[in-house]
Amino acid sequence: MNGAAFIVISVLTLAAAFAAATLPNLMHAAFCLVLALLGLAAFFFLLGAEFVGLALVFIYIGAVAVLIVFTTLLTRRDSKEHHGLNWSGVLIAFAVFTGLMWAVLKTQSLSIVPPHIRALTVNQIGQALMTGYVWPLQCIGLLLTAALIGALVLVMEEKR
Amino acid sequence: MTPTLQGFLIVSSALFCIGLLAALSRRHAIFILIGIEMMLAAANLNFIAFWRFAPQPHPPTGVMIEIFSIAISAGEAAVGLAMVIAVYRHYRTTNVDQYDQLKG
């Protein structure tokens, strides 16, 4: 793992995430969210979880970001006004950040370097999914089916 | 210099708080969903970081939880955006301050 790569990726990810949270224009924010998620996928590659990084790119950037852009276009009539920030939310977020920083920096056992491991292959992931994790996999399939059918039912035009 | 677990935790807590900022302080419904997605992404980064820095168990537990978490957040995004569209049809606005019919 490379320290310079870590710093570059984290600066890019956090800057893109902050832009996505504060930009007034929703389309710009959606593109910044895509950038932030690409940075997150780069973190996963850095940590040796290539399969999950690729899945993140496919699912978040291929599906979720496109969904956000579509919803923006469908509800565009009032995407300009009401972009004032609610300052109590900013205060709460900053307080949570301070608390988390205090906890992370105070815990001495967290400053460790990664152990050397064998690379995780897709074969291993597939074997684990099909043996020990087969019931959770089925449940997640059921959950996704139910969620997508529910989303369709929610947006279907009502018969009058 | 290799980054420590602490570095990854700092990045993920910063990402979580940026998501919290978006979810709490914006008034547009889609921005709130973007913030929730960011908080979920920060939790995902924590799972992978703890998996990588721990001794390796035989089934890669962190990666498994990560796969399920990505699937759940995809379902959450689909349902959330469908709800935004459904509510927009009734109220003709995406400003969450104006969704006040249930307010006492």
Side-chain angles (χ1 to χ4, degrees):
Chain A
M1 250 187 275
N2 192 341
F6 172 77
I7 293 171
V8 170
I9 296 172
S10 52
V11 167
L12 279 180
T13 307
L14 292 180
F18 192 74
T22 51
L23 278 182
N25 189 320
L26 195 43
M27 293 304 268
H28 298 170
F31 287 122
C32 286
L33 179 74
V34 167
L35 270 185
L37 292 173
L38 268 179
L40 200 74
F43 271 130
F44 289 176
F45 274 87
L46 199 65
L47 284 166
E50 286 88 0
F51 178 76
V52 184
L54 272 182
L56 190 94
V57 171
F58 291 151
I59 294 171
Y60 270 105
I61 298 170
V64 173
V66 173
L67 261 183
I68 288 176
V69 170
F70 262 94
T71 314
T72 309
L73 293 179
L74 283 176
T75 60
R76 196 146 77 146
R77 188 175 301 174
D78 60 351
S79 63
K80 280 180 290 299
E81 92 277 33
H82 62 71
H83 47 70
L85 285 176
N86 184 355
W87 287 103
S88 58
V90 178
L91 267 182
I92 292 173
F94 191 74
V96 171
F97 181 69
T98 315
L100 281 175
M101 274 303 111
W102 177 76
V104 168
L105 292 176
K106 202 169 181 296
T107 312
Q108 293 301 320
S109 57
L110 288 179
S111 48
I112 50 175
V113 290
H116 284 283
I117 53 164
R118 279 175 292 123
L120 183 68
T121 60
V122 180
N123 192 348
Q124 280 172 294
I125 296 176
Q127 289 218 334
L129 271 180
M130 282 299 135
T131 53
Y133 287 90
V134 67
W135 283 110
L137 187 70
Q138 300 294 326
C139 292
I140 219 79
L142 197 65
L143 177 88
L144 265 184
T145 314
L148 293 184
I149 292 175
L152 271 182
V153 170
L154 268 177
V155 294
M156 238 187 302
E157 286 286 348
E158 294 162 32
K159 299 256 179 357
R160 299 222 166 78
Chain B
M1 166 214 138
T2 51
T4 59
L5 179 55
Q6 217 162 22
F8 285 98
L9 291 189
I10 289 171
V11 170
S12 81
S13 37
L15 195 61
F16 180 87
C17 291
I18 293 172
L20 192 67
L21 175 90
L24 287 182
S25 69
R26 301 304 296 248
R27 299 199 171 86
H28 196 291
I30 299 176
F31 270 114
I32 295 177
L33 277 172
I34 286 180
I36 292 171
E37 286 296 325
M38 257 190 255
M39 290 195 272
L40 273 168
N44 288 349
L45 179 59
N46 260 12
F47 276 128
I48 290 294
F50 276 109
W51 163 76
R52 180 63 181 80
F53 281 83
Q56 301 294 300
H58 169 53
T61 318
V63 175
M64 292 297 126
I65 292 180
E66 175 69 29
I67 290 170
F68 295 136
S69 156
I70 287 180
I72 289 174
S73 65
E76 172 261 324
V79 175
L81 291 168
M83 278 170 66
V84 170
I85 293 179
V87 173
Y88 177 78
R89 279 209 191 119
H90 282 278
Y91 285 90
R92 290 284 142 196
T93 178
T94 47
N95 186 347
V96 289
D97 283 348
Q98 289 173 30
Y99 301 158
D100 53 1
Q101 199 171 356
L102 285 177
K103 205 171 179 178

